[in-house]
Amino acid sequence: MIDELSLGLAPKIASALLQLLTRLRDDGLSILLVDQNIHQTLAVADRVYLLTNGRISFCGTPEALRERKDLMNAYMGTG
């Protein structure tokens, strides 16, 4: 379990850590990553859970989330 991996780190370091997590995931390790940097997180995630007021408002793949323009706009400011 990793909470806010990229918070306070230089972008180069955060990127290197995400690459490491990707390798660990590919080796079969389960990882729970909590992070507000949604674009980097979606690039390495297999599953996504969005929380709203402590409740799961979305559960699915990164691809399924990207198709939900309403959620992408609400959470990421993109549509």
Side-chain angles (χ1 to χ4, degrees):
M1 182 173 168
I2 302 168
D3 185 23
E4 297 296 346
L5 173 74
S6 61
L7 185 65
L9 293 178
K12 197 175 207 178
I13 301 292
S15 179
L17 288 173
L18 282 170
Q19 289 176 4
L20 173 61
L21 291 181
T22 301
R23 286 196 310 269
L24 292 171
R25 180 204 60 200
D26 292 345
D27 288 343
L29 185 67
S30 295
I31 300 167
L32 174 62
L33 172 61
V34 178
D35 204 304
Q36 291 185 20
N37 188 333
I38 192 69
H39 298 291
Q40 283 186 336
T41 303
L42 287 178
V44 301
D46 293 322
R47 303 282 304 161
V48 178
Y49 297 86
L50 294 180
L51 299 177
T52 304
N53 297 323
R55 296 187 184 268
I56 296 173
S57 58
F58 174 84
C59 171
T61 65
E63 294 78 21
L65 176 60
R66 287 184 189 101
E67 292 174 5
R68 292 283 310 269
K69 301 300 180 192
D70 59 324
L71 292 176
M72 290 296 290
N73 191 44
Y75 281 85
M76 281 64 86
T78 61

